Amino acid sequence: MLNVNLNISKIKNYLFTALQGVCTHRFTSMPTTIDKAWGKFMIIEVIKINDDMQLGQAKVLLTLWANQIGAGLEDAKTLETMETTLLTLLNDHCVTDIYSLSFSGGYDVADYEKKISGRLYEIRINIK
């Protein structure tokens, strides 16, 4: 029987709620227009789910973005604050009745055209 907790919308809603302290602006894909007044935002993408009949798994990408402070210069202070909050919240919410989160890796990212820099985190979620 397929694990009904593998519902992508439920996973995204859980993460939106659990990670709301990172920043106000959270999306499921890159916005076509970025309001510079935001200063920072986050993208939550569920990129893969699978079910082995006992325990489901999801792979999630969490990308933290901040406006660059100059030509190609990242706002390291804002990103550090976002990262610290993200990792604290992931730790606080790492095990629930349904979800068990684990950290898979992190990367630097930048979009020079949009003048934003960020951090991309891979998270694996085991789903009961």
Side-chain angles (χ1 to χ4, degrees):
M1 178 167 186
L2 184 62
N3 184 341
V4 296
N5 291 322
L6 284 172
N7 181 312
I8 292 173
S9 294
K10 285 183 181 182
I11 296 167
K12 286 181 180 181
N13 286 336
Y14 166 70
L15 291 169
F16 262 68
T17 302
L19 303 177
Q20 65 185 337
V22 175
C23 61
T24 304
H25 304 287
R26 298 177 309 282
F27 305 97
T28 57
S29 63
M30 180 65 79
T32 54
T33 309
I34 297 170
D35 187 336
K36 292 296 177 187
W38 297 342
K40 59 185 179 180
F41 63 98
M42 179 169 63
I43 299 175
I44 299 170
E45 299 173 281
V46 177
I47 61 168
K48 180 180 178 182
I49 59 171
N50 63 345
D51 186 5
D52 66 4
M53 302 305 225
Q54 296 291 322
L55 186 68
Q57 287 191 344
K59 185 175 185 179
V60 177
L61 300 178
L62 304 173
T63 313
L64 310 175
W65 292 103
N67 293 338
Q68 292 177 346
I69 57 174
L73 298 172
E74 70 179 29
D75 184 347
K77 183 177 180 181
T78 296
L79 288 170
E80 180 181 359
T81 300
M82 292 175 75
E83 288 178 276
T84 300
T85 303
L86 173 69
L87 296 175
T88 299
L89 290 171
L90 287 174
N91 186 57
D92 291 348
H93 296 278
C94 69
V95 179
T96 69
D97 292 343
I98 298 173
Y99 304 112
S100 174
L101 291 84
S102 61
F103 181 77
S104 296
Y107 312 90
D108 268 338
V109 291
D111 186 326
Y112 297 106
E113 185 177 306
K114 291 182 170 78
K115 298 180 181 172
I116 54 177
S117 296
R119 304 290 186 267
L120 181 138
Y121 285 95
E122 275 185 45
I123 306 298
R124 188 179 71 230
I125 303 176
N126 291 320
I127 303 165
K128 298 177 189 172

